[in-house]
Amino acid sequence: MYIKYLLYLLPIILAVLITLFLVKQSFERRDTAVGRYFFYLSCAMLFWAVSYLLELVLFSPELYIYFSRMKYLGVISVPIFWFIFALLYSGKIEFMSRRKLIALSILPAFHFIILLTNPFHNLFFVEEVHTSIGPLKTSISVAGPIFHIHTYYSYGLIVAGILVMLQEAIRLKDLYLKQSLVLITGILMPFIANIVSVFNLLPYIPENYYLTVLMFSLSGITIWYALFKLKFLDILPIARDEVFDNISDSIFVLDPQNRVMDYNQEAEKMLDEGVFPRGNEDIMGKKIDKLFSETPEIIEKHKKIEEAHDEIKFSRKERWYDVKLTSFYNKKEEFIGRILIFRDITKRKQAEEKAEFLHSLLRHDLGNKLQLTMGFLELLQDADISGEDREFLEDSLSSIEEGIELIENVRTLQKIESDKKGGEIEPVKLKKIIEESVVRYDDLRKQLGFDINNHIDEEIIAQGGKILKELFANLVENSLKHSGGSRIDISSTQNEGKVKIIIEDDGKGIPDDIKESITEKGSQGEDSSGSGLGMHLVKNIAETYGGSLEVKDSRLGGARFVIILNKYSDENEKKI
Amino acid sequence: MVNILVVDDEDRMRKLIKNILSRRYEIAGEAENGEEAVEKFEDLDPDVITLDILMPEKDGIEVLSDIKDKDPSKKVVLITVVSPDEDIPEEAKNKADAYLVKPAKKKQLLDALENVLENDHPE
């Protein structure tokens, strides 16, 4: 007797335990809307299962009838929560306004009220007969018209939810496809069981022993798999859409034929604002070339390369964009498309242009004034001035020269910055530019009585740009002005892709305690009255081209500057 | 004696250049804009023209073209405050006999003139 009793009850107890576990797990993940509605769905299933269990185990007719009614609170809630959950999971909730969602619940609420008031009208159940399942007391209800409406309405919601998830699963593929299919399986099992029970399709199962609740066990296990193995509720497809559409960059997803497969809201905005020429045409599925019909060179440049990063001006709207092109591959490492990301940098570019304008204005006007002051002071040098007055004159001239040097250094710094942002690497013949740097200070060299020995290998070609000359000019000037020596040797060595240029003098050298700090901005040597930018520039220029600077002691007795640069080869023809 | 036409839109700059060059050469005249420079060039027939680039009416690059079109043997020294690597058109660099970047020292200006004239009379 008891064994038979247990045989009927155990599957339901198991279903209660498993749905309880689902409630606990989803409770911890209810911080997102999807997690919250999954929690409500699990609660509704648990309520259904517990009510049914109580319906079976309580022998008093009042009580089991009471719970057979209350069970319907779960029965009518499950389809609604499932449908809302499916919409949220698939990112389609915006198609359902809050008002529509409330409207969805009106009919089930009405059904429940009809159920509770059934003895007065018998619209939900035409007749209820007290019966038993084995040793368990329960009742059999004959369905009334409202029960049928409730059933078809609930089935409709469940099927709609399944279809929404299927559609999303097919669109997203991979992990989300698996997640969706497992979740659909989870809801299909009790759904089919319910159809079997309601329409009594398996006659050997007692008519009032509901398979739906039994199937909650299998459902629970399936959903458990989705939760822990497929990270359902941890990785949601909705998150992908939210991120994609809320990202502040414009993103176009292209297939291997450069056709637009997807684009986000920011990209849509870019299209609507007329940054690209496209008219009213929808570009989905069209070649990206259409957007660049006014600037075909951009397409030509990027057609076959996998990764690129550029700053591009779109003249139609006077906009600047930082454009990044990235290729992506599937698990078999097959090329499946590219992502084109546009970041609006118009404000930055305008600020840079304004700064450049102000900078050149200052450089031009200040350069002119300094030219005049220096020129007139130089004319005064020829006048009969002596003693302290002569000293004042020479000090004034030195100050002007330092001012001029400062302007030049600031200009060089500006060039370094612009080269860092996207200057091309060029082949630089080191012998030639070092000779030019030495010639620049030939007057000073003669005046100070220096010998400069340039032993640079004729063939050495390094990776560099226009400002590399400033690096060597600064080092030569530094040795001439501050070393206190009379000889500068310039030599070079090269190996495995690197070239090393050594500039050393026989002066007093650089004390160990400032060897490290001498390249910092504003750092000055003992007898220097300059801006302290010179050595900082040298290091900065070397690093701009992927090189480095070392400050050491020379075998000649003075300072030894070692510049290491990358050797130039044809493969270097890429951006810095 | 070598005659020089000094062209610059700033009074004090013309005064400075004239003062530096007058110790070695004869100053034929001066002009404060491009239009005037071309007129003075035709009137005074100078041997060398020191020419500022940024000027109203007609800039130094245009004046350079006009002068060289009229008489390619005339020597032109461009004097500019911008870096020669950046803003002077390649064509102008080739047409001019020398160019100086301001601020330039007195010696640089004199050396430039000397080089230009030496090239004219190598023997």
Side-chain angles (χ1 to χ4, degrees), chain A residues 65-116:
Chain A
I65 286 176
Y66 172 77
F67 281 106
S68 80
R69 298 280 188 276
M70 292 315 290
K71 174 183 72 189
Y72 276 88
L73 206 54
V75 175
I76 61 164
S77 305
V78 165
I80 298 171
F81 289 138
W82 160 253
F83 180 64
I84 299 175
F85 161 77
L87 287 178
L88 284 164
Y89 179 84
S90 320
K92 294 200 167 56
I93 196 69
E94 71 267 24
F95 298 125
M96 291 295 288
S97 63
R98 183 176 281 267
R99 200 172 285 178
K100 281 183 188 165
L101 289 174
I102 291 170
L104 271 183
S105 315
I106 290 174
L107 204 55
F110 169 71
H111 294 157
F112 191 62
I113 292 166
I114 294 293
L115 171 69
L116 294 179

Side-chain angles (χ1 to χ4, degrees), chain A residues 194-400:
Chain A
N194 193 270
I195 294 171
V196 169
S197 288
V198 168
F199 297 101
N200 202 15
L201 299 178
L202 295 173
Y204 49 87
I205 291 177
E207 199 181 336
N208 50 352
Y209 189 63
Y210 292 111
L211 290 173
T212 317
V213 175
L214 265 64
M215 280 298 153
F216 284 172
S217 307
L218 289 177
S219 255
I221 291 166
T222 315
I223 293 167
W224 175 87
Y225 176 78
L227 267 175
F228 292 97
K229 291 288 172 191
L230 304 178
K231 303 285 177 200
F232 156 64
L233 293 185
D234 296 327
I235 309 167
L236 294 169
I238 181 65
R240 168 255 173 226
D241 273 356
E242 288 282 316
V243 171
F244 193 56
D245 276 337
N246 284 307
I247 215 155
S248 59
D249 295 341
S250 304
I251 301 173
F252 293 90
V253 182
L254 312 178
D255 72 0
Q257 283 75 43
N258 282 334
R259 285 177 304 208
V260 179
M261 289 290 105
D262 202 356
Y263 53 87
N264 68 351
Q265 279 178 6
E266 239 359 82
E268 174 81 52
K269 218 161 91 187
M270 207 174 156
L271 291 163
D272 289 344
E273 286 170 354
V275 176
F276 302 109
R278 70 147 183 174
N280 296 323
E281 199 182 348
D282 183 9
I283 59 141
M284 196 66 97
K286 304 276 167 50
K287 281 208 156 201
I288 191 82
D289 306 33
K290 275 190 174 290
L291 299 184
F292 294 90
S293 57
E294 289 172 359
T295 45
E297 67 280 1
I298 295 173
I299 287 290
E300 204 46 51
K301 187 175 170 190
H302 295 104
K303 219 169 202 170
K304 284 173 188 162
I305 52 176
E306 294 184 354
E307 310 280 332
H309 191 188
D310 245 333
E311 288 183 352
I312 297 174
K313 187 177 186 180
F314 290 84
S315 307
R316 290 171 71 87
K317 291 281 164 186
E318 285 296 309
R319 294 260 187 89
W320 274 95
Y321 285 92
D322 176 289
V323 185
K324 222 179 211 175
L325 182 75
T326 309
S327 298
F328 55 98
Y329 302 83
N330 63 14
K331 283 176 189 164
K332 292 175 190 164
E333 297 196 346
E334 293 161 339
F335 173 61
I336 52 170
R338 305 201 278 183
I339 302 174
L340 199 52
I341 305 167
F342 292 79
R343 174 167 293 176
D344 192 340
I345 53 164
T346 311
K347 280 186 184 162
R348 195 195 86 200
K349 278 286 175 188
Q350 284 169 343
E352 278 176 12
E353 277 168 14
K354 197 171 173 188
E356 168 56 25
F357 171 71
L358 293 174
H359 196 265
S360 71
L361 198 70
L362 189 68
R363 206 166 61 238
H364 179 267
D365 287 8
L366 198 60
N368 246 343
K369 303 298 171 207
L370 286 173
Q371 166 75 84
L372 287 167
T373 316
M374 183 171 70
F376 287 121
L377 287 174
E378 280 184 317
L379 287 174
L380 271 182
Q381 274 182 315
D382 299 337
D384 184 19
I385 299 172
S386 59
E388 205 178 31
D389 290 344
R390 168 66 60 182
E391 209 177 294
F392 292 157
L393 176 63
E394 296 302 332
D395 282 348
S396 303
L397 264 169
S398 298
S399 299
I400 298 285

Side-chain angles (χ1 to χ4, degrees), chain A residues 167-186:
Chain A
Q167 189 193 17
E168 188 65 3
I170 291 162
R171 189 174 78 83
L172 293 173
K173 298 187 182 110
D174 291 337
L175 177 66
Y176 301 129
L177 176 66
K178 274 190 205 160
Q179 270 189 9
S180 305
L181 290 181
V182 170
L183 288 169
I184 289 167
T185 311

Side-chain angles (χ1 to χ4, degrees), chain A residues 364 367-369 371-372 374-376 378-379 382 401 404 411 415 443, chain B residues 10 12-13 16 19-20 23 54 81 85-86 102-107:
Chain A
H364 179 267
N368 246 343
K369 303 298 171 207
Q371 166 75 84
L372 287 167
M374 183 171 70
F376 287 121
E378 280 184 317
L379 287 174
D382 299 337
E401 280 171 16
I404 291 167
R411 177 68 187 141
K415 283 189 203 165
D443 289 341
Chain B
E10 198 172 338
R12 278 183 288 182
M13 192 61 76
L16 173 65
N19 263 291
I20 293 171
R23 300 176 186 206
L54 294 172
V81 83
D85 288 338
E86 293 166 3
K102 292 181 203 171
K105 289 190 161 192
K106 182 178 82 174
K107 186 174 179 306

